[in-house]
Amino acid sequence: MKGTRKTGLIFFPAFDWAISPTHPEREERLLYTQDQVFEEGLLDFDNITEFKPGLATIEDINRIHVCVPDAQSVITESHLISAGGAITAADVVMQGKVDNAFALVRPPGHHAMRIVHGARGFCNINIEAIMIEHIRKKYGHRRVAVVDTDCHHGDGTQDIYWHDPDTLYISIHQDGRTLYPGSGFIEEFGGPNALGYTINIPLPPHTSQEGFLYTLDNLILPILDDYKPDLIINSAGQDNHYTDPITNMNFTAQGYAILNEKLSPHIAVLEGGYSIESALPYVNAGIILAMAGIDYSSVMEPDYDPEAIRQSPQITRYIEQEVKEIYQLWKDRGTKKAEITEGAGYLRRRRGIYYDTDNIEEDQIETIRICEDCGGLLTIDSRASTGNRVFAVIIPGQSCPACRKKGEQFFESIDRGTYDHVYFQDRDRDIYQVK
Amino acid sequence: MILGIDVGGTHTDAVLLDGLIVRKKAKVPTNHEQLLDSLLAVTEEIFSDLGPDVLERVVLSTTMSTNAIVQGTVSPVGMIVAAGPGISPDFLRINDHTHIVSGYANHRGIIVSPVRDEEIDRVVSLIKDAGIDHLGIVGKFSTRNPGIETNIADRTADRFRHVSLGHRMSGNLNFPRRIATTYLNAAVWDIYNSFVNNINRFVSRFDGGYPIYILKADGGTFEIAQSVKCPVQTILSGPAASIMGILSLTECGEDAIALDIGGTTTDIAIFAGGVPLLEPLGVTIEGHKTLIRGLRTRSIGIGGDSRVRCEDGTIIIGPERAGPAAAFGGPAATPTDAMIVLNLAEIGDREKAVAAIDGISHKTGLSMVETAQAIYDSACEKITAAVQAMIREINNEPVYTVHELLEGKTIEPTALYVVGGPAEAMAPRLGELLRCRSEIPEHAEVANAIGAALARTTTELTILADTEQGVLTIVEEGIQIRIDSGFDREKAREVCREHLEKRAISMGARKDEIEIEITEDQSFNMVRGYFTAGKNIRIKGQVKPGLIAGLRKGTEA
Ligand SMILES: [Zn+2]
Ligand SMILES: [Zn+2]
């Protein structure tokens, strides 16, 4: 049995790991997906190869996260495997063993932000970000586009790449006014040094296949054409499905497969998706076949009825209007920066961040150096309801000499004072220090 | 005493065993037209001075089904495939008589769409019109619920000489493999039956009364009457016979490598703690990936008679065989000739071996002896590389739990067993390269017949319990029974043990020698909304391949 592309599959259902016995993120989550993948004989296709996930290391996590007090205390072994699975997917693609790869792993990661005090939205560490920085460390710098098709706004990935013009983050999700985490509005458009490199596309509840594919064809693909990334990563959450119990969208297995085929990501990484019996088996089979260039037209949910989930004309009109507006915003991104910075040397924002899974509140003050030459030196002052207060000095990837020098001097001179820890992260030199 | 007979492609080998002691051995050429003649010839030799009344069992290993598949002399089969949604039906058509019909079950065994009788009737007419007498019926997820397959069978069985049902082939998931396995089972059914008739005629000449067993691909046996129901299990039992032979002739209780170095190929098998490893899903034959449980073997195109040539200064061995070694009058230099030149083997005509190797040394730019050494080294290194690749593959097999991934056992062989013509000449060097103690078992030339003789009856069984639906499925038996919501993993294991024992006995095992091993044991809470709706329990048990009770070198009284 043959297909047109070589596809790597990293399948790790973690049948012995759960957040709690009845939590959506539990042992059973990928059970029926495994059944379907096995029964369809997908692993017997000559062009689909399964790879065993490697284990991510603490260094892999520290390259992009600042975990409080340290990485060991915010993760379980399962997180190292799930991040390791994403890294394995990247490795087999980067080494040319396959044309593309799908890390069908759990637990997910796209709600994990740069600073980690605990778990948010079932996520502890951001497995895509860890993977992307692994790629850059091991294979050299790459311009990356992350297209997040999970139903929830990927606020973690957005946070991590907010200031990075070399990582375009596009999230398509159910409108934050109607769903966790309540963010991902059009106006969230990237930090001052990376304006336009975060694109949020909130869609109204009950959007169906038509609306998703319209957005893909008329917004996401044109932006990717303009941006010309070296790599396209798909955060392949599957909770836009019409049977998902915790969201309100009407996407389908066919739709996910078509989307994947058109997007043609180098690497797809599973995110959410909690209709474990009625959606995931079919969506995952569809995505695997689409990635491998194999006919997926017969993949369909048993109860699929296009009439029952057709989107209303109002939704169609709303989406058409929104797509136009966002594309214009993207086109105008270069002219906005001056307006926002008004010649300032540094800009500061203060935010409250809530860790719903672990019930932790964080108060964060983030300061970015306005820079024309790189993502900009970043410092974060973070205080959590756990009692921990930390400070982080972060030198971005592809940093300019000025930002690096300032960051190094700053970390050198800073006194621990009232902070529990002071962290220094330098991605280019792969340095992570703690005072 | 046990009579073991291996009906191979070239030779028919027989041994008479008293416990582990080889009382007699014999080898005759196989006469494929008159199989009975070969059997009679070989047993005549065995029983020249003994009566067959000493027998307690006869075990046969045969390549009949394998050869029929390889040579394409199988019967035409009509296939009715209830596919449901999923991969394109184009991938599911195994022959021109495959018909895709409606009706399917989902992953939980819930019948989502029923069979349509008029569709089945139409398809059956088409198959009958093509003059076909054998039918295979396969449904998606039929191992979760055999209902679709049995419904179709009820409507069609009396129109065909034989009907094979998918869920009877294996409890494992894999629809395309289930189709291939069911097809092959139906396709070899006639040929295998005529073989069994031959055997029955053959044994009726002796004073019967002892059971007759047939070797399966997994290195286990089943009684001949059972084998008729599932003849596909007998394919590729040839390599299994040799591997079981090696097991019985050595004290292997560790991770080990077994090599059978033949004329054209070298077969590799791996033991984990003295137990031969099985293919994860099933064996592959003639491009058909199947669900037939079989020993995990790899074959590489290097053997004693492989043709050796030199291209651009590089020595190339095999993969083809041009004839016997030059020392035996063959047309080309071979590794066997190199070993003769190096005085590692004292066989054939040394002069001819020297001449053949000398012919190559003109191209290698080495002396005649150096060339022989280079050929020998290269052959050993190639085999070593293939063994290492196979072990790597085994150790990199995906696992699906955190525990297995972190604690995963790996295979680290410490022993190497070699049989076949060049065994003596190559074993020490291969042992060095693979960092293993090397050993050549006694009676290696009839290891296959010994292996067949001593193999125990094996079988496996899959139990699925879904307490939300209140259904327990004994997959390979096609049985579904009602269970209550209190049913648990413990009870499922009990059901598995009980039915596995019954199944093993029906296959021909003796009750006192059945060793049951639970190989898969999982229970998932099915949560719908935020409430537990039931349990999804999955248990697999097996009687693993091994020797019949108590028989193993080193355990002799
Ligand atoms: Zn989600
Ligand atoms: Zn800079």
Side-chain angles (χ1 to χ4, degrees), chain A residues 369 371-377 399-400 402-403:
Chain A
R369 178 175 186 265
C371 183
E372 292 300 326
D373 305 314
C374 76
L377 169 66
S399 58
C400 72
C403 286

Side-chain angles (χ1 to χ4, degrees), chain A residues 11 13-16 26 28 31-32 34-35 38-40 44 50 52 77 81 277 294 298-299 302, chain B residues 85-87 107-108 140-141 144 174-175 177-178 289 395 398 400 402-403 406 525-528 538:
Chain A
F11 182 55
F15 284 144
D16 52 352
R26 65 177 180 275
E28 189 194 2
L31 183 64
Y32 312 105
Q34 183 200 49
D35 288 346
F38 283 11
E39 177 69 350
E40 301 292 357
D44 279 337
E50 188 178 10
K52 191 178 188 173
E77 285 144 340
I81 303 172
E277 197 177 320
I294 301 167
S298 306
V299 175
Chain B
I87 57 169
H107 42 78
R108 276 184 66 194
K140 185 165 280 178
F141 283 114
R144 293 287 156 86
N174 193 312
F175 190 46
R177 282 180 185 253
R178 191 176 312 122
K289 290 177 177 169
N395 287 339
Y400 301 124
V402 176
H403 175 80
L406 298 177
N525 282 331
M526 294 189 286
V527 182
R528 299 299 171 261
R538 300 166 172 205

Side-chain angles (χ1 to χ4, degrees), chain B residues 134-167:
Chain B
H134 297 83
L135 185 65
I137 303 172
V138 189
K140 185 165 280 178
F141 283 114
S142 65
T143 54
R144 293 287 156 86
N145 184 342
I148 297 280
E149 286 178 6
T150 49
N151 284 349
I152 298 175
D154 288 346
R155 207 171 170 81
T156 54
D158 55 357
R159 313 261 331 252
F160 293 89
R161 203 132 58 90
H162 163 81
V163 177
S164 290
L165 300 184
H167 70 276

Side-chain angles (χ1 to χ4, degrees), chain A residues 348-361:
Chain A
R348 178 164 289 180
R349 63 171 177 165
R350 181 169 187 169
R351 305 184 286 163
I353 295 163
Y354 181 57
Y355 294 69
D356 59 310
T357 308
D358 281 349
N359 191 24
I360 298 168
E361 292 192 54

